[in-house]
Amino acid sequence: MKSREFGVELDSEIFTDYLITYITNAHIGILLKWLKGGCEESIEEMAMFIETFTINGIFKTVGI
């Protein structure tokens, strides 16, 4: 539903399932690293990391 809200047409249900899996696992990985590292960064910083990586993508985030 969100993809339609933003005017994005996803190719198929299978593509969508893999996309959701990719994003979910990326977010879980970031949060696990944060927890294992003792939660040194603030919740706001973590939210910014997740938002930046998700919206900009990895390549744009690192300047490629």
Side-chain angles (χ1 to χ4, degrees):
M1 288 181 0
K2 274 291 186 195
S3 62
R4 282 188 228 118
E5 183 179 318
F6 289 105
V8 175
E9 198 63 41
L10 299 174
D11 292 341
S12 69
E13 188 174 325
I14 293 171
F15 178 85
T16 303
D17 288 344
Y18 278 104
L19 179 62
I20 290 168
T21 300
Y22 175 82
I23 292 169
T24 302
N25 282 293
H27 292 181
I28 290 170
I30 289 171
L31 293 174
L32 286 174
K33 178 176 176 29
W34 180 60
L35 290 170
K36 288 177 181 178
C39 303
E40 292 186 16
E41 297 81 7
S42 70
I43 292 172
E44 292 79 14
E45 285 178 294
M46 296 310 301
M48 185 272 306
F49 290 148
I50 290 172
E51 180 179 0
T52 300
F53 298 155
T54 302
I55 292 173
N56 293 340
I58 300 303
F59 292 127
K60 187 174 178 183
T61 298
V62 298
I64 296 175

